[in-house]
Amino acid sequence: MRIATWNINSLRARMDRVLAFLERHEVDVLALQETKAKPEQLDLTALQDAGYEVSAHGLNQWNGVALISRVGLSDVQTQLPAVPSYPEDETGVVEARALSGVVGDGLRIWSLYVPNGREVDHPHYAYKLRWLEALRAEGERELTADEASRTVLVGDFNVAPLNEDVWDMDAFEGKTHVTEPERSAFRSIVDAGYADVVRPDHEGPGVYTYWDYQALRFPKKEGMRIDFVLGSPAVQSAVTGSFIDREERKGKGASDHAPVVVDLDL
């Protein structure tokens, strides 16, 4: 089974790219983030005609996640349990940042769009840490209930866990994505049993999944590694290969993220 994750930065704007990507790489399951649409705003006809089932979760023009599968899609969940709202007062809403379903032969896949955090002293940063804790708790609960669970946590984590995951640490001094609390939150998910299944085959430095549109970051190779596939032990042992499709960051109308692809023998 071939699975992939991709922050698409507007599904409506890049539906043609998604269809071409699925066909070119023969992807069985694609998790999308930042779809930027309510489900009723998406024309899914072409995906369905290509043999894919689609589940999308979105509330407005921000956030949004989706799962696209040609190997079945069942038991869909549209939120992490105990996920915080933002802002955390009576006006807050639970944003559309998590969606999971069972695909293929019992693989639970979560499409995740972790909050950005904005600035270290911003309330969104504290919200990000609480959101990551909710993810860790759900991942731990899943493996406590069934240590043989086939589960993958995939998506845009908005955390660069290692110094080598950014093009220049000096450029990120005092900024989000690289702070110790964020990295500690990411490590807590790994420590709960979910390993980065791509890094062993694609070590850094210089291995990135995101390049800002500004300042010619992509041609300058000034990127960040913030998109991950974290697999439970049963998934880790099933990985047969992986790659980051850097070509998808090229050309007119590209997302600022590249897809991450993993092959599994389940």
Side-chain angles (χ1 to χ4, degrees), residues 25 33 35 41 46 54 58 71-72 79 93 102 141 170 173 175 194 204-205 222 229 234 239 255 265:
H25 292 304
Q33 301 85 42
T35 55
Q41 294 175 311
V54 184
V71 289
Q79 284 299 349
V93 298
V102 175
R141 183 207 63 76
D170 290 341
E173 184 176 357
K175 297 182 179 180
Y194 296 87
E222 296 175 348
V229 176
V239 175
S255 170
D265 182 2

Side-chain angles (χ1 to χ4, degrees), residues 21 33 58 64 100 125 131 133 140 158 175 201 203 209 245 259:
F21 170 76
Q33 301 85 42
S100 83
Y125 177 80
W131 203 98
E133 169 55 24
E140 184 175 72
N158 269 315
K175 297 182 179 180
D201 293 328
E203 296 181 348
T209 63
D245 187 3

Side-chain angles (χ1 to χ4, degrees), residues 158-175:
N158 269 315
V159 178
L162 303 176
N163 288 354
E164 67 184 32
D165 294 332
V166 297
W167 61 275
D168 183 359
M169 277 297 294
D170 290 341
F172 287 85
E173 184 176 357
K175 297 182 179 180

Side-chain angles (χ1 to χ4, degrees), residues 67-214:
L67 289 171
I68 301 170
S69 173
R70 66 177 182 183
V71 289
L73 181 58
S74 62
D75 195 20
V76 173
Q77 300 177 28
T78 57
Q79 284 299 349
L80 285 167
V83 70
S85 62
Y86 185 80
E88 293 187 282
D89 56 29
E90 65 276 5
T91 68
V93 298
V94 176
E95 297 177 314
R97 293 183 174 274
L99 177 69
S100 83
V102 175
V103 298
D105 189 16
L107 177 71
R108 165 71 66 181
I109 182 168
W110 280 94
S111 180
L112 305 162
Y113 182 37
V114 176
N116 177 281
R118 300 180 186 173
E119 299 174 357
V120 174
D121 59 354
H122 195 284
H124 208 260
Y125 177 80
Y127 164 59
K128 178 179 188 175
L129 297 179
R130 286 189 286 270
W131 203 98
L132 285 166
E133 169 55 24
L135 176 58
R136 182 211 60 79
E138 174 58 17
E140 184 175 72
R141 183 207 63 76
E142 179 73 23
L143 288 182
T144 299
D146 179 9
E147 62 182 12
S149 172
R150 296 172 169 179
T151 303
V152 283
L153 312 176
V154 312
D156 179 357
F157 281 73
N158 269 315
V159 178
L162 303 176
N163 288 354
E164 67 184 32
D165 294 332
V166 297
W167 61 275
D168 183 359
M169 277 297 294
D170 290 341
F172 287 85
E173 184 176 357
K175 297 182 179 180
T176 60
H177 291 62
V178 300
T179 67
E180 180 53 32
E182 291 168 286
R183 288 178 167 182
S184 178
F186 185 93
R187 287 195 302 270
S188 74
I189 298 169
V190 174
D191 292 343
Y194 296 87
D196 178 350
V197 301
V198 177
R199 190 182 296 274
D201 293 328
H202 305 279
E203 296 181 348
V207 177
Y208 306 129
T209 63
Y210 165 83
W211 301 261
D212 197 302
Y213 287 129
Q214 300 180 6

